[in-house]
């Protein structure tokens, strides 16, 4: 005991040590007492502070502080690490609760949740920067991993991505949370492919057409053999979860190519897994874009290794995803050209990608409707304009283009601000850490031009599918930049990014997982009633649905129409065999009126009804 006291006195002789010890001990005590008292449950409750006995609170803080101060005297390094660990735990607990706070009422700020997380990130990065050397020593001492062990950890990361994505998306389908646009469409398309290898759908435009009339996506046929074995909509969601997890393979290979250490490879994979856009890109259900991250990273690896056959295969597969996927290949080629890493392959990639884009656009137009270019209508001369007008708009008035980067389609919409924070804050340091490598910023062009210049709301939302291509290019950029940094800066960069993604993952991704897992239990009766209603519908009949959450469940019916997306003329002439009214998540009065008129005019008989849940009418 005497030796311990001597050590404490020795460590506390220095004035700086005394000040540090008191400060750290107070913070540790304050955090511990806050956790014990349940502070994270009272983010929006000001009265919670004043309902406590202030004198008792001070005594409690001082008592724990004295213990921490004693331990600081014994081992100051351990206490500094403890401060960071406690701060992160407290922040995670707070972040988990931000999902349930009504921020517009609490702070009159619709972005309160994300800004709250940014403040927590800043606090933890500040603490980390102060105690980082102690953390490095501890990690080096306890985390000596072989490359085999690293690969096991990377596989675990991939399984984590798969498990969360598959669980949420499958439960969305099973709890009637998926909508006509777009999972109702895809569930019908895959059943059509199983039946006659066509991509026929009635839901996409409320007429019978091929999906090729809207998008060029032959990549679906690669999924078809699996769907043939397990012909259910859940299979589509599970395949997507696999594709979102698979990028851990090229990420590991690229990081190894850039001579990153085993721990750094593990860290890069963790950043990819916890990055909010990675898993959340699947939370609005299946889209063909889920293939992009894996295919683009494999194509990048192939060109880095100068493997021409491999490059050709993955470029072709990328072109099969969707017509605009060629843009990402063209940008990668542009980067290799301007960075002088491989000018020849860069030019070839650009030329092939441009040719593929125009061929695929022609194919889509030949099937009928043409590509969805109205998403860039804010750059057209008028409402009847076309994509050909985008270049004159850019060259003629760059000031207007810049205004559209911050422009929105809805008054006072803050989606782009929120999107910018979520996408850029976690990787801001590694993305812009190598100032002289300006050519690498070319990789951010799709992110800027496709997601920001447009005012189409879903293109700047992380829970939609439009970020999978960007993720591949951003991860590639990070790997290159981090590999160029000296050892100390590498560590700081990776650790600060990890702090960011951990807090954002906890605040944005985990609540969705929790919501759908609890929904299965909390709404079991309603789900059973909905399933019972769907079972009343003959699989060989035509169906019109009001309330699009039921359409995906009707995937075996060749003709399903969503009344909400019908034009006025079509609403007046509904003549399907069945009309289904899905009310479990609410329904507009306008739709209810359309259904009532159709039921009266078409001599329909009510065959199933649960108030506030579902009604089924048969002609």
């Amino acid at each position: 005991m005497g030796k311990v006291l001597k050590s404490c006195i020795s460590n506390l002789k220095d004035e700086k040590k005394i000040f540090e010890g008191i400060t750290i001990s107070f913070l540790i005590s304050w955090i511990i007492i806050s956790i014990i008292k349940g502070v994270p449950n009272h983010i929006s409750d000001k009265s919670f502070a004043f309902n406590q006995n202030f004198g008792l609170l001070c005594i409690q803080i001082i008592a724990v502080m004295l213990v921490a101060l004693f331990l600081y005297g014994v081992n100051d390094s351990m206490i500094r690490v403890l401060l960071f660990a406690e701060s992160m735990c407290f922040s995670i607990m707070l972040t988990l609760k931000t999902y349930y706070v009504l921020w517009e009422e609490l702070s009159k700020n619709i972005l309160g949740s994300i800004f709250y997380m940014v403040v927590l990130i800043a606090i933890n990065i500040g603490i980390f920067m102060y105690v980082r050397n102690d953390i490095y020593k501890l990690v080096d001492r306890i985390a000596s991993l072989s490359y085999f062990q690293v690969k096991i950890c990377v596989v675990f990361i991939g399984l984590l991505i798969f498990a969360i994505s598959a669980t949420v998306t499958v439960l969305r389908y099973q709890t009637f949370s998926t909508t006509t646009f777009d999972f109702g469409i895809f569930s019908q398309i895959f059943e059509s492919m199983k039946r006659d290898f066509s991509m026929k759908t009635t839901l996409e435009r409320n007429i019978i057409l091929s999906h090729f009339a809207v998008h060029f996506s032959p990549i679906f046929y690669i999924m078809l053999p699996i769907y043939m074995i397990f012909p259910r909509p859940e299979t589509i969601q599970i395949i997507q979860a696999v594709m979102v997890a698979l990028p851990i393979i090229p990420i590991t290979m690229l990081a190894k190519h850039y001579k990153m250490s085993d721990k750094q490879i593990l860290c890069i994979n963790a950043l990819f897994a916890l990055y909010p856009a990675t898993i959340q890109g699947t939370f609005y259900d299946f889209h063909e874009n889920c293939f992009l991250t894996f295919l683009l990273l494999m194509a990048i690896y192939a060109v880095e290794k100068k493997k021409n056959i491999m490059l050709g295969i993955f470029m072709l597969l990328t072109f099969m995803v969707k017509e605009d996927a060629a843009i990402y290949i063209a940008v990668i080629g542009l980067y290799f050209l301007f960075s002088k890493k491989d000018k020849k392959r860069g030019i070839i990639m650009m030329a092939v990608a441009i040719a593929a884009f125009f061929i695929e656009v022609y194919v889509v137009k030949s099937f009928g409707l043409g590509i969805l270019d109205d998403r860039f209508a804010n750059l057209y001369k008028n409402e009847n304009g076309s994509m050909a007008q985008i270049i004159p708009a850019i060259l003629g008035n760059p000031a207007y283009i810049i205004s559209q980067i911050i422009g929105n389609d809805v008054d006072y919409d803050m989606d782009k601000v929120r999107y910018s924070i979520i996408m850029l804050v976690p990787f801001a340091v590694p993305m812009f850490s190598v100032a002289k490598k300006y050519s690498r910023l070319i990789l951010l062009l799709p992110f800027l031009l496709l997601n920001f210049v447009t005012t189409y709301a879903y293109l700047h939302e992380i829970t939609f599918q439009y970020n999978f291509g960007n993720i591949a290019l951003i991860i590639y950029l990070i790997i290159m930049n981090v590999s160029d940094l000296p050892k100390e800066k590498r560590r700081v960069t990776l650790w600060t990014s990890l702090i960011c993604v951990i807090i954002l993952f906890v605040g944005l991704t985990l609540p969705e997982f929790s919501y759908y897992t609890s929904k299965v239990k909390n709404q079991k009766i309603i789900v059973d009633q909905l399933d019972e209603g769907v079972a009343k519908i003959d699989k060989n009949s035509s169906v019109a649905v009001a309330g699009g959450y039921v359409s995906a469940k009707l995937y075996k019916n060749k003709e399903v129409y969503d009344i909400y997306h019908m034009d006025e003329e079509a609403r007046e002439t509904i003549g399907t065999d069945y009309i289904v009214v899905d009310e479990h998540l609410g329904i507009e009065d306008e739709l209810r009126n359309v259904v009532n008129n159709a039921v009266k005019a078409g001599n329909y008989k009510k065959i199933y009804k649960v108030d506030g849940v579902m009604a089924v009418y048969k002609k």
Side-chain angles (χ1 to χ4, degrees):
M1 188 66 181
K3 288 183 179 180
V4 171
L5 287 172
K6 276 186 180 181
S7 175
C8 293
I9 294 167
S10 174
N11 275 335
L12 294 173
K13 277 183 179 178
D14 188 286
E15 287 182 10
K16 181 182 175 183
K17 284 279 188 183
I18 294 172
F19 179 76
E20 181 188 72
I22 292 173
T23 302
I24 290 177
S25 298
F26 169 73
L27 291 174
I28 286 174
S29 176
W30 189 19
I31 293 170
I32 288 176
I33 298 300
S34 296
I35 292 173
I36 292 172
K37 287 184 172 292
V39 167
N41 296 316
H42 300 276
I43 293 175
S44 55
D45 184 6
K46 181 171 69 173
S47 63
F48 178 76
F50 299 101
N51 290 335
Q52 299 180 51
N53 184 320
F54 183 69
L56 179 61
L57 176 63
C58 290
I59 291 171
Q60 290 170 334
I61 290 175
I62 290 170
V64 176
M65 179 180 167
L66 289 174
V67 174
L69 190 60
F70 173 78
L71 293 174
Y72 176 85
V74 175
N75 190 332
D76 56 333
S77 178
M78 178 190 71
I79 294 300
R80 283 192 289 268
V81 172
L82 179 62
L83 172 63
F84 175 71
E86 274 192 2
S87 175
M88 281 297 294
C89 289
F90 187 47
S91 296
I92 286 170
M93 294 170 73
L94 291 171
T95 303
L96 279 170
K97 298 297 180 179
T98 61
Y99 184 80
Y100 306 100
V101 174
L102 300 174
W103 289 99
E104 289 184 67
E105 294 180 10
L106 176 63
S107 59
K108 294 182 173 58
N109 186 345
I110 62 173
L111 296 179
S113 177
I114 194 67
F115 281 137
Y116 193 84
M117 287 182 240
V118 169
V119 171
L120 294 176
I121 287 169
I123 291 170
N124 283 282
I125 287 177
I127 294 173
F128 166 76
M129 293 301 291
Y130 186 76
V131 305
R132 65 184 185 276
N133 290 329
D134 301 287
I135 294 172
Y136 295 159
K137 289 176 187 175
L138 180 65
V139 171
D140 289 341
R141 192 161 60 244
I142 67 175
S144 178
L145 299 174
S146 67
Y147 184 55
F148 176 76
Q149 291 170 322
V150 167
K151 286 195 286 188
I152 295 296
C153 291
V154 169
V155 170
F156 175 79
I157 288 171
L159 291 174
L160 174 70
I161 298 171
F162 169 79
I164 295 176
S165 175
T167 300
V168 170
T169 53
V170 167
L171 292 182
R172 273 179 58 83
Y173 170 73
Q174 292 180 345
T175 58
F176 288 81
S177 303
T178 58
T179 60
T180 297
F181 281 80
D182 290 339
F183 195 59
I185 295 170
F186 289 121
S187 62
Q188 191 182 46
I189 286 172
F190 273 87
E191 190 63 19
S192 172
M193 291 166 65
K194 171 180 170 285
R195 192 164 45 241
D196 57 17
F197 294 99
S198 72
M199 286 193 186
K200 289 178 183 176
T201 169
T202 55
L203 282 168
E204 196 144 25
R205 292 296 181 270
N206 273 305
I207 58 173
I208 297 176
L209 51 69
S210 169
H211 183 64
F212 280 114
V214 180
H215 288 303
F216 184 83
S217 302
I219 196 78
F220 290 160
Y221 287 104
I222 293 177
M223 299 169 60
L224 185 57
I226 301 173
Y227 185 84
M228 297 282 273
I229 299 170
F230 307 103
R232 290 189 54 81
E234 292 97 323
T235 302
I236 308 170
Q237 302 280 40
I238 290 171
I239 292 172
Q240 175 175 245
V242 171
M243 290 312 306
V244 174
L246 275 182
I248 61 169
I249 297 171
I251 288 171
T252 301
M253 294 192 301
L254 278 167
K256 199 74 177 171
H257 172 70
Y258 276 90
K259 296 180 170 53
M260 298 183 79
S261 71
D262 293 341
K263 290 179 186 175
Q264 289 162 2
I265 290 172
L266 183 59
C267 191
I268 289 288
N269 277 286
L271 291 176
F272 165 71
L274 299 176
Y275 190 42
T278 298
I279 297 178
Q280 286 210 58
T282 68
F283 283 3
Y284 208 72
D285 307 305
F286 174 82
H287 289 88
E288 57 268 67
N289 298 57
C290 68
F291 286 88
L292 283 177
T293 310
F294 173 71
L295 296 179
L296 289 172
L297 285 169
M298 290 301 294
I300 289 167
Y301 178 77
V303 72
E304 283 276 7
K305 288 293 190 179
K306 305 187 187 304
K307 296 178 180 287
N308 294 331
I309 295 176
M310 181 181 179
L311 175 60
I313 291 171
F314 284 102
M315 282 176 59
L316 177 61
L317 289 171
T318 301
F319 298 149
M320 291 169 62
V321 172
K322 196 188 279 188
E323 62 281 353
D324 58 5
I327 295 171
Y328 297 101
I329 294 292
V331 168
I332 294 167
L334 186 67
Y335 164 67
F336 276 92
L337 172 62
F338 276 87
S339 65
K340 299 179 181 178
K341 292 183 72 172
D342 196 331
K343 289 190 281 187
K344 180 181 177 182
R345 286 182 179 81
I347 292 171
I348 292 171
M349 289 175 75
M350 288 176 62
V352 173
I354 292 169
F357 175 76
F358 283 107
I359 291 170
E360 291 179 13
V361 169
Y362 174 79
V363 170
V364 173
K365 284 185 177 180
S366 70
F367 270 85
L369 299 180
I371 63 172
L372 299 174
D373 54 1
D374 60 341
R375 293 173 180 179
F376 295 87
N378 58 314
L379 305 183
Y380 297 168
K381 183 178 180 180
N382 52 50
E383 61 182 15
N384 297 317
S386 66
M387 291 188 75
Q389 296 171 352
I390 292 178
I391 294 177
I394 294 172
L395 296 179
N397 192 349
Y400 174 76
I401 301 303
I402 294 171
S403 77
Q404 295 308 287
I405 291 174
I406 61 169
N408 293 302
D409 191 38
V410 181
D411 291 342
Y412 308 111
D413 188 12
M414 300 294 284
D415 281 356
K416 281 190 179 179
V417 176
R418 184 178 187 276
Y419 178 70
S420 302
I421 293 170
I422 295 171
M423 292 295 288
L424 295 175
V425 165
F427 295 155
V429 175
M431 273 199 287
F432 305 107
S433 59
V434 184
K436 293 182 180 179
K437 305 283 187 175
Y438 299 118
S439 61
R440 291 177 183 173
L441 299 179
I442 289 171
L443 296 169
L444 298 179
L445 279 177
F447 177 59
L448 179 65
L449 297 177
L450 298 181
N451 297 84
F452 274 100
V453 171
T454 176
T455 56
Y456 182 67
Y458 302 129
L459 280 167
H460 35 266
E461 171 57 59
I462 63 162
T463 54
F464 285 81
Q465 70 275 15
Y466 300 107
N467 294 300
F468 288 120
N470 293 327
I471 292 170
L473 302 188
I474 288 171
I475 290 292
Y476 177 44
L477 173 61
I478 288 171
I479 289 172
M480 289 190 292
N481 282 359
V482 171
S483 69
D484 284 347
L485 295 172
K487 182 180 178 181
E488 172 60 20
K489 285 189 176 180
R490 273 195 201 188
R491 278 187 155 185
V492 170
T493 298
L494 291 173
W495 271 89
T496 52
S497 290
L498 264 179
I499 291 169
C500 292
V501 294
I502 287 170
I503 290 177
L504 290 176
F505 176 81
V506 169
L508 298 171
T509 306
L510 282 189
E512 294 289 323
F513 180 82
S514 175
Y515 171 77
Y516 286 106
T517 51
S518 62
K519 189 175 182 180
V520 173
K521 181 175 70 173
N522 297 338
Q523 298 191 16
K524 185 179 185 307
I525 294 174
I526 292 175
V527 170
D528 288 344
Q529 290 168 339
L530 290 164
D531 279 326
E532 186 180 349
V534 170
K536 302 282 185 185
I537 301 167
D538 180 26
K539 300 296 186 290
N540 297 312
S541 62
S542 58
V543 188
V545 299
Y549 295 96
V550 72
S551 56
K553 291 278 187 172
L554 300 169
Y555 66 99
K556 287 188 177 291
N557 294 76
K558 290 182 181 180
E559 289 187 54
V560 183
Y561 303 94
D562 190 320
I563 297 173
Y564 180 83
H565 296 282
M566 288 180 176
D567 58 34
E568 189 172 341
E569 182 180 349
R571 287 182 175 186
E572 292 174 355
T573 58
I574 296 172
T576 52
D577 300 321
Y578 290 84
I579 294 178
V580 179
V581 182
D582 173 17
E583 300 180 274
H584 83 287
L585 291 175
I587 189 169
E588 298 175 3
D589 289 337
E590 180 186 357
L591 277 185
R592 200 186 302 275
N593 292 334
V594 171
V595 170
N596 290 338
N597 293 336
V599 168
K600 290 175 185 176
N603 193 27
Y604 286 89
K605 178 183 177 182
K606 187 189 298 179
I607 62 169
Y608 183 78
K609 172 72 173 175
V610 177
D611 289 336
V613 178
M614 177 185 274
V616 179
Y617 301 89
K618 184 177 181 181
K619 196 175 181 65

